[in-house]
Amino acid sequence: MNTETNPRLDFFRSQIGNSLIQSPSPLGRWLNATLKDVQHGTMTVEVTVRQDMTNPLGTLHGGAAAAIMDDLVGMMVFGLGREYGYTSVNLNCDFLNAARIGDVLTAHAHVVRAGKNVIHCEARISNLEGKIVAKCSTNMIQTGVKLPF
């Protein structure tokens, strides 16, 4: 799809600075990230670590970090404007530094290679000091679900 006539990308761009509390993704609504930047093939959000995102040690749960990255990649791929939906076939995560309640994190995703049926992406979560909290690589595969717009 031509990136200049992509209504999904235009919608995401109109949401920059807003909370994603109205995301079509129930998990995305729970994460309650704020959209910071949107380009064709890249997307950035900001997330504040809440208590319900932590493990018993009081640090960001690995599953919550994986969810942030997976949901962000999913939004970004949706924003590519493809005719069919894509879903994750794998998500390989590395957890590198702890994040605690109240920490403001930046999550950034980008497309590495967009094939016809498989889109390979990477994402990372960093804290305000620039330390990488978590990073992932993932492959999204085209489904048979035609998207509405």
Side-chain angles (χ1 to χ4, degrees), residues 30-56:
W30 176 78
L31 291 170
N32 194 25
T34 299
L35 197 52
K36 300 307 268 183
D37 186 52
V38 176
Q39 304 297 324
H40 184 78
T42 69
M43 191 174 282
T44 304
V45 297
E46 192 172 83
V47 179
T48 301
V49 178
R50 302 183 314 266
Q51 183 176 12
D52 59 349
M53 298 172 150
T54 62
N55 59 28

PDB file of all heavy atoms in Angstrom, residues 30-56:
ATOM      1  N   TRP A  30      -4.922  -2.468  28.489  1.00  0.00           N
ATOM      2  CA  TRP A  30      -4.373  -2.712  29.822  1.00  0.00           C
ATOM      3  C   TRP A  30      -2.977  -2.096  29.957  1.00  0.00           C
ATOM      4  O   TRP A  30      -2.643  -1.502  30.982  1.00  0.00           O
ATOM      5  CB  TRP A  30      -4.330  -4.219  30.105  1.00  0.00           C
ATOM      6  CG  TRP A  30      -3.683  -4.552  31.417  1.00  0.00           C
ATOM      7  CD1 TRP A  30      -4.247  -4.442  32.658  1.00  0.00           C
ATOM      8  CD2 TRP A  30      -2.362  -5.024  31.616  1.00  0.00           C
ATOM      9  NE1 TRP A  30      -3.336  -4.820  33.617  1.00  0.00           N
ATOM     10  CE2 TRP A  30      -2.167  -5.185  32.998  1.00  0.00           C
ATOM     11  CE3 TRP A  30      -1.307  -5.336  30.752  1.00  0.00           C
ATOM     12  CZ2 TRP A  30      -0.980  -5.640  33.551  1.00  0.00           C
ATOM     13  CZ3 TRP A  30      -0.116  -5.794  31.298  1.00  0.00           C
ATOM     14  CH2 TRP A  30       0.040  -5.944  32.680  1.00  0.00           C
ATOM     15  N   LEU A  31      -2.168  -2.204  28.914  1.00  0.00           N
ATOM     16  CA  LEU A  31      -0.817  -1.640  28.962  1.00  0.00           C
ATOM     17  C   LEU A  31      -0.864  -0.120  29.097  1.00  0.00           C
ATOM     18  O   LEU A  31      -0.012   0.471  29.743  1.00  0.00           O
ATOM     19  CB  LEU A  31      -0.033  -2.031  27.713  1.00  0.00           C
ATOM     20  CG  LEU A  31       0.336  -3.506  27.602  1.00  0.00           C
ATOM     21  CD1 LEU A  31       0.891  -3.818  26.220  1.00  0.00           C
ATOM     22  CD2 LEU A  31       1.328  -3.900  28.695  1.00  0.00           C
ATOM     23  N   ASN A  32      -1.856   0.513  28.465  1.00  0.00           N
ATOM     24  CA  ASN A  32      -2.091   1.950  28.552  1.00  0.00           C
ATOM     25  C   ASN A  32      -0.855   2.766  28.187  1.00  0.00           C
ATOM     26  O   ASN A  32      -0.476   3.706  28.875  1.00  0.00           O
ATOM     27  CB  ASN A  32      -2.608   2.335  29.946  1.00  0.00           C
ATOM     28  CG  ASN A  32      -3.167   3.739  29.970  1.00  0.00           C
ATOM     29  OD1 ASN A  32      -3.589   4.268  28.948  1.00  0.00           O
ATOM     30  ND2 ASN A  32      -3.160   4.356  31.135  1.00  0.00           N
ATOM     31  N   ALA A  33      -0.223   2.409  27.080  1.00  0.00           N
ATOM     32  CA  ALA A  33       0.946   3.145  26.587  1.00  0.00           C
ATOM     33  C   ALA A  33       0.508   4.468  25.968  1.00  0.00           C
ATOM     34  O   ALA A  33      -0.656   4.660  25.626  1.00  0.00           O
ATOM     35  CB  ALA A  33       1.681   2.299  25.551  1.00  0.00           C
ATOM     36  N   THR A  34       1.457   5.363  25.816  1.00  0.00           N
ATOM     37  CA  THR A  34       1.233   6.623  25.112  1.00  0.00           C
ATOM     38  C   THR A  34       2.023   6.580  23.818  1.00  0.00           C
ATOM     39  O   THR A  34       3.224   6.300  23.824  1.00  0.00           O
ATOM     40  CB  THR A  34       1.701   7.820  25.970  1.00  0.00           C
ATOM     41  OG1 THR A  34       0.944   7.823  27.184  1.00  0.00           O
ATOM     42  CG2 THR A  34       1.498   9.133  25.234  1.00  0.00           C
ATOM     43  N   LEU A  35       1.343   6.838  22.720  1.00  0.00           N
ATOM     44  CA  LEU A  35       1.985   6.810  21.406  1.00  0.00           C
ATOM     45  C   LEU A  35       2.886   8.038  21.260  1.00  0.00           C
ATOM     46  O   LEU A  35       2.445   9.168  21.469  1.00  0.00           O
ATOM     47  CB  LEU A  35       0.902   6.800  20.330  1.00  0.00           C
ATOM     48  CG  LEU A  35       1.281   6.392  18.928  1.00  0.00           C
ATOM     49  CD1 LEU A  35       2.008   5.064  18.880  1.00  0.00           C
ATOM     50  CD2 LEU A  35       0.036   6.331  18.058  1.00  0.00           C
ATOM     51  N   LYS A  36       4.147   7.817  20.922  1.00  0.00           N
ATOM     52  CA  LYS A  36       5.123   8.913  20.823  1.00  0.00           C
ATOM     53  C   LYS A  36       5.552   9.230  19.399  1.00  0.00           C
ATOM     54  O   LYS A  36       5.805  10.381  19.069  1.00  0.00           O
ATOM     55  CB  LYS A  36       6.367   8.593  21.672  1.00  0.00           C
ATOM     56  CG  LYS A  36       6.085   8.398  23.145  1.00  0.00           C
ATOM     57  CD  LYS A  36       5.325   9.538  23.752  1.00  0.00           C
ATOM     58  CE  LYS A  36       6.231  10.566  24.338  1.00  0.00           C
ATOM     59  NZ  LYS A  36       5.518  11.658  25.006  1.00  0.00           N
ATOM     60  N   ASP A  37       5.694   8.201  18.555  1.00  0.00           N
ATOM     61  CA  ASP A  37       6.143   8.438  17.181  1.00  0.00           C
ATOM     62  C   ASP A  37       5.628   7.316  16.293  1.00  0.00           C
ATOM     63  O   ASP A  37       5.578   6.163  16.713  1.00  0.00           O
ATOM     64  CB  ASP A  37       7.677   8.492  17.118  1.00  0.00           C
ATOM     65  CG  ASP A  37       8.175   8.882  15.732  1.00  0.00           C
ATOM     66  OD1 ASP A  37       7.713   9.903  15.197  1.00  0.00           O
ATOM     67  OD2 ASP A  37       9.008   8.145  15.178  1.00  0.00           O
ATOM     68  N   VAL A  38       5.251   7.687  15.069  1.00  0.00           N
ATOM     69  CA  VAL A  38       4.744   6.724  14.097  1.00  0.00           C
ATOM     70  C   VAL A  38       5.316   7.080  12.730  1.00  0.00           C
ATOM     71  O   VAL A  38       5.190   8.214  12.275  1.00  0.00           O
ATOM     72  CB  VAL A  38       3.200   6.762  14.013  1.00  0.00           C
ATOM     73  CG1 VAL A  38       2.696   5.834  12.930  1.00  0.00           C
ATOM     74  CG2 VAL A  38       2.571   6.450  15.349  1.00  0.00           C
ATOM     75  N   GLN A  39       5.966   6.110  12.112  1.00  0.00           N
ATOM     76  CA  GLN A  39       6.440   6.231  10.734  1.00  0.00           C
ATOM     77  C   GLN A  39       6.126   4.914  10.052  1.00  0.00           C
ATOM     78  O   GLN A  39       5.858   3.916  10.733  1.00  0.00           O
ATOM     79  CB  GLN A  39       7.957   6.488  10.685  1.00  0.00           C
ATOM     80  CG  GLN A  39       8.438   7.693  11.471  1.00  0.00           C
ATOM     81  CD  GLN A  39       7.893   9.003  10.954  1.00  0.00           C
ATOM     82  OE1 GLN A  39       7.731   9.181   9.754  1.00  0.00           O
ATOM     83  NE2 GLN A  39       7.589   9.922  11.862  1.00  0.00           N
ATOM     84  N   HIS A  40       6.178   4.874   8.747  1.00  0.00           N
ATOM     85  CA  HIS A  40       5.967   3.604   8.051  1.00  0.00           C
ATOM     86  C   HIS A  40       7.093   2.650   8.445  1.00  0.00           C
ATOM     87  O   HIS A  40       8.266   2.923   8.195  1.00  0.00           O
ATOM     88  CB  HIS A  40       5.955   3.820   6.531  1.00  0.00           C
ATOM     89  CG  HIS A  40       5.644   2.580   5.769  1.00  0.00           C
ATOM     90  ND1 HIS A  40       4.361   2.090   5.643  1.00  0.00           N
ATOM     91  CD2 HIS A  40       6.440   1.714   5.118  1.00  0.00           C
ATOM     92  CE1 HIS A  40       4.383   0.987   4.944  1.00  0.00           C
ATOM     93  NE2 HIS A  40       5.638   0.727   4.609  1.00  0.00           N
ATOM     94  N   GLY A  41       6.739   1.570   9.125  1.00  0.00           N
ATOM     95  CA  GLY A  41       7.725   0.567   9.528  1.00  0.00           C
ATOM     96  C   GLY A  41       8.400   0.807  10.856  1.00  0.00           C
ATOM     97  O   GLY A  41       9.274   0.034  11.247  1.00  0.00           O
ATOM     98  N   THR A  42       8.004   1.853  11.588  1.00  0.00           N
ATOM     99  CA  THR A  42       8.522   2.078  12.939  1.00  0.00           C
ATOM    100  C   THR A  42       7.418   2.666  13.808  1.00  0.00           C
ATOM    101  O   THR A  42       6.521   3.351  13.318  1.00  0.00           O
ATOM    102  CB  THR A  42       9.736   3.038  12.992  1.00  0.00           C
ATOM    103  OG1 THR A  42       9.320   4.356  12.673  1.00  0.00           O
ATOM    104  CG2 THR A  42      10.848   2.595  12.078  1.00  0.00           C
ATOM    105  N   MET A  43       7.509   2.396  15.107  1.00  0.00           N
ATOM    106  CA  MET A  43       6.548   2.961  16.050  1.00  0.00           C
ATOM    107  C   MET A  43       7.198   2.998  17.423  1.00  0.00           C
ATOM    108  O   MET A  43       7.961   2.102  17.780  1.00  0.00           O
ATOM    109  CB  MET A  43       5.273   2.113  16.083  1.00  0.00           C
ATOM    110  CG  MET A  43       4.125   2.756  16.827  1.00  0.00           C
ATOM    111  SD  MET A  43       2.575   1.804  16.696  1.00  0.00           S
ATOM    112  CE  MET A  43       2.048   2.257  15.045  1.00  0.00           C
ATOM    113  N   THR A  44       6.873   4.042  18.185  1.00  0.00           N
ATOM    114  CA  THR A  44       7.424   4.215  19.522  1.00  0.00           C
ATOM    115  C   THR A  44       6.307   4.574  20.491  1.00  0.00           C
ATOM    116  O   THR A  44       5.450   5.401  20.170  1.00  0.00           O
ATOM    117  CB  THR A  44       8.493   5.327  19.541  1.00  0.00           C
ATOM    118  OG1 THR A  44       9.508   5.005  18.575  1.00  0.00           O
ATOM    119  CG2 THR A  44       9.127   5.477  20.908  1.00  0.00           C
ATOM    120  N   VAL A  45       6.331   3.935  21.665  1.00  0.00           N
ATOM    121  CA  VAL A  45       5.380   4.250  22.729  1.00  0.00           C
ATOM    122  C   VAL A  45       6.140   4.457  24.035  1.00  0.00           C
ATOM    123  O   VAL A  45       7.300   4.070  24.161  1.00  0.00           O
ATOM    124  CB  VAL A  45       4.315   3.140  22.925  1.00  0.00           C
ATOM    125  CG1 VAL A  45       3.456   2.969  21.690  1.00  0.00           C
ATOM    126  CG2 VAL A  45       4.947   1.827  23.349  1.00  0.00           C
ATOM    127  N   GLU A  46       5.444   5.056  24.996  1.00  0.00           N
ATOM    128  CA  GLU A  46       5.980   5.233  26.342  1.00  0.00           C
ATOM    129  C   GLU A  46       5.035   4.534  27.312  1.00  0.00           C
ATOM    130  O   GLU A  46       3.811   4.649  27.185  1.00  0.00           O
ATOM    131  CB  GLU A  46       6.045   6.728  26.654  1.00  0.00           C
ATOM    132  CG  GLU A  46       6.830   7.082  27.878  1.00  0.00           C
ATOM    133  CD  GLU A  46       6.978   8.590  27.981  1.00  0.00           C
ATOM    134  OE1 GLU A  46       6.036   9.246  28.488  1.00  0.00           O
ATOM    135  OE2 GLU A  46       8.021   9.107  27.542  1.00  0.00           O
ATOM    136  N   VAL A  47       5.615   3.790  28.251  1.00  0.00           N
ATOM    137  CA  VAL A  47       4.837   3.024  29.224  1.00  0.00           C
ATOM    138  C   VAL A  47       5.403   3.296  30.609  1.00  0.00           C
ATOM    139  O   VAL A  47       6.621   3.294  30.795  1.00  0.00           O
ATOM    140  CB  VAL A  47       4.916   1.505  28.938  1.00  0.00           C
ATOM    141  CG1 VAL A  47       4.134   0.707  29.964  1.00  0.00           C
ATOM    142  CG2 VAL A  47       4.449   1.185  27.538  1.00  0.00           C
ATOM    143  N   THR A  48       4.523   3.501  31.586  1.00  0.00           N
ATOM    144  CA  THR A  48       4.948   3.631  32.979  1.00  0.00           C
ATOM    145  C   THR A  48       4.664   2.311  33.682  1.00  0.00           C
ATOM    146  O   THR A  48       3.556   1.774  33.602  1.00  0.00           O
ATOM    147  CB  THR A  48       4.188   4.773  33.677  1.00  0.00           C
ATOM    148  OG1 THR A  48       4.448   5.996  32.972  1.00  0.00           O
ATOM    149  CG2 THR A  48       4.630   4.922  35.123  1.00  0.00           C
ATOM    150  N   VAL A  49       5.680   1.785  34.360  1.00  0.00           N
ATOM    151  CA  VAL A  49       5.540   0.504  35.053  1.00  0.00           C
ATOM    152  C   VAL A  49       4.606   0.686  36.247  1.00  0.00           C
ATOM    153  O   VAL A  49       4.820   1.547  37.097  1.00  0.00           O
ATOM    154  CB  VAL A  49       6.914  -0.034  35.528  1.00  0.00           C
ATOM    155  CG1 VAL A  49       6.743  -1.348  36.287  1.00  0.00           C
ATOM    156  CG2 VAL A  49       7.863  -0.205  34.348  1.00  0.00           C
ATOM    157  N   ARG A  50       3.551  -0.144  36.276  1.00  0.00           N
ATOM    158  CA  ARG A  50       2.591  -0.152  37.380  1.00  0.00           C
ATOM    159  C   ARG A  50       2.802  -1.416  38.214  1.00  0.00           C
ATOM    160  O   ARG A  50       3.393  -2.387  37.739  1.00  0.00           O
ATOM    161  CB  ARG A  50       1.158  -0.135  36.841  1.00  0.00           C
ATOM    162  CG  ARG A  50       0.825   1.038  35.942  1.00  0.00           C
ATOM    163  CD  ARG A  50      -0.654   1.004  35.516  1.00  0.00           C
ATOM    164  NE  ARG A  50      -1.108  -0.299  35.070  1.00  0.00           N
ATOM    165  CZ  ARG A  50      -1.126  -0.706  33.789  1.00  0.00           C
ATOM    166  NH1 ARG A  50      -0.701   0.103  32.821  1.00  0.00           N
ATOM    167  NH2 ARG A  50      -1.562  -1.912  33.478  1.00  0.00           N
ATOM    168  N   GLN A  51       2.253  -1.417  39.408  1.00  0.00           N
ATOM    169  CA  GLN A  51       2.400  -2.582  40.289  1.00  0.00           C
ATOM    170  C   GLN A  51       1.852  -3.850  39.644  1.00  0.00           C
ATOM    171  O   GLN A  51       2.440  -4.920  39.780  1.00  0.00           O
ATOM    172  CB  GLN A  51       1.706  -2.332  41.619  1.00  0.00           C
ATOM    173  CG  GLN A  51       1.885  -3.485  42.588  1.00  0.00           C
ATOM    174  CD  GLN A  51       1.281  -3.201  43.944  1.00  0.00           C
ATOM    175  OE1 GLN A  51       0.548  -2.245  44.120  1.00  0.00           O
ATOM    176  NE2 GLN A  51       1.599  -4.046  44.904  1.00  0.00           N
ATOM    177  N   ASP A  52       0.737  -3.742  38.900  1.00  0.00           N
ATOM    178  CA  ASP A  52       0.151  -4.941  38.308  1.00  0.00           C
ATOM    179  C   ASP A  52       0.928  -5.453  37.096  1.00  0.00           C
ATOM    180  O   ASP A  52       0.520  -6.424  36.462  1.00  0.00           O
ATOM    181  CB  ASP A  52      -1.325  -4.725  37.956  1.00  0.00           C
ATOM    182  CG  ASP A  52      -1.575  -3.590  36.980  1.00  0.00           C
ATOM    183  OD1 ASP A  52      -0.654  -2.809  36.697  1.00  0.00           O
ATOM    184  OD2 ASP A  52      -2.716  -3.476  36.495  1.00  0.00           O
ATOM    185  N   MET A  53       2.082  -4.835  36.799  1.00  0.00           N
ATOM    186  CA  MET A  53       2.970  -5.293  35.729  1.00  0.00           C
ATOM    187  C   MET A  53       4.226  -5.959  36.291  1.00  0.00           C
ATOM    188  O   MET A  53       5.113  -6.340  35.527  1.00  0.00           O
ATOM    189  CB  MET A  53       3.421  -4.110  34.866  1.00  0.00           C
ATOM    190  CG  MET A  53       2.331  -3.382  34.148  1.00  0.00           C
ATOM    191  SD  MET A  53       3.058  -1.908  33.393  1.00  0.00           S
ATOM    192  CE  MET A  53       2.008  -1.712  31.977  1.00  0.00           C
ATOM    193  N   THR A  54       4.297  -6.084  37.611  1.00  0.00           N
ATOM    194  CA  THR A  54       5.546  -6.533  38.229  1.00  0.00           C
ATOM    195  C   THR A  54       5.480  -7.982  38.713  1.00  0.00           C
ATOM    196  O   THR A  54       4.412  -8.569  38.866  1.00  0.00           O
ATOM    197  CB  THR A  54       5.928  -5.632  39.420  1.00  0.00           C
ATOM    198  OG1 THR A  54       4.913  -5.704  40.420  1.00  0.00           O
ATOM    199  CG2 THR A  54       6.127  -4.191  38.984  1.00  0.00           C
ATOM    200  N   ASN A  55       6.669  -8.507  38.972  1.00  0.00           N
ATOM    201  CA  ASN A  55       6.816  -9.846  39.552  1.00  0.00           C
ATOM    202  C   ASN A  55       6.946  -9.717  41.073  1.00  0.00           C
ATOM    203  O   ASN A  55       6.897  -8.587  41.597  1.00  0.00           O
ATOM    204  CB  ASN A  55       8.033 -10.549  38.921  1.00  0.00           C
ATOM    205  CG  ASN A  55       9.320  -9.790  39.138  1.00  0.00           C
ATOM    206  OD1 ASN A  55       9.493  -9.060  40.116  1.00  0.00           O
ATOM    207  ND2 ASN A  55      10.259  -9.950  38.221  1.00  0.00           N
ATOM    208  N   PRO A  56       7.118 -10.813  41.803  1.00  0.00           N
ATOM    209  CA  PRO A  56       7.237 -10.715  43.263  1.00  0.00           C
ATOM    210  C   PRO A  56       8.431  -9.886  43.750  1.00  0.00           C
ATOM    211  O   PRO A  56       8.448  -9.440  44.897  1.00  0.00           O
ATOM    212  CB  PRO A  56       7.370 -12.178  43.711  1.00  0.00           C
ATOM    213  CG  PRO A  56       6.672 -12.955  42.649  1.00  0.00           C
ATOM    214  CD  PRO A  56       6.986 -12.211  41.372  1.00  0.00           C
TER     215      PRO A  56
END
